[in-house]
Amino acid sequence: MTPLWTALSCMCSMLLGMTLMYAYRKRLPQHTGAGEGATNVWQLIEHVEAEATRNATPTGKHHLREPREPTEPSAVDTIPIPGPQAPPPLELHHRVLEALHRL
């Protein structure tokens, strides 16, 4: 068989398969009343809100403990942050500039 006939037969078989799938697929209703006992949007919203409030309230043993008293920060816990420093004198700038010119 030539490549043309092979490609043509593949295309025809794919077209036939897609046509059969379309013809015999299940036709399920979408966005219609699902009947008694089906969950609707408002029930889902209530469920999500109830779950959010349930997760917002603390539970477990850690919730029952007494709060710890605040302690003084130790030197190990804090890192000193340097304050603003004075700019270096202009003499230093001139020396650096002269050294760069000599290069």
Side-chain angles (χ1 to χ4, degrees), residues 21-89:
M21 284 176 47
Y22 179 75
Y24 292 108
R25 70 182 173 137
K26 287 185 176 181
R27 306 226 185 245
L28 298 176
Q30 298 177 3
H31 305 293
T32 60
E36 190 67 32
T39 305
N40 60 24
V41 174
W42 302 111
Q43 290 172 334
L44 291 172
I45 291 173
E46 289 173 1
H47 178 71
V48 169
E49 288 175 351
E51 186 176 338
T53 56
R54 185 173 57 241
N55 290 342
T57 56
T59 58
K61 288 185 177 181
H62 62 277
H63 176 64
L64 301 175
R65 292 187 191 151
E66 294 291 326
R68 293 194 312 183
E69 295 179 14
T71 58
E72 293 292 323
S74 66
V76 176
D77 294 339
T78 58
I79 299 172
I81 300 173
Q85 298 177 350

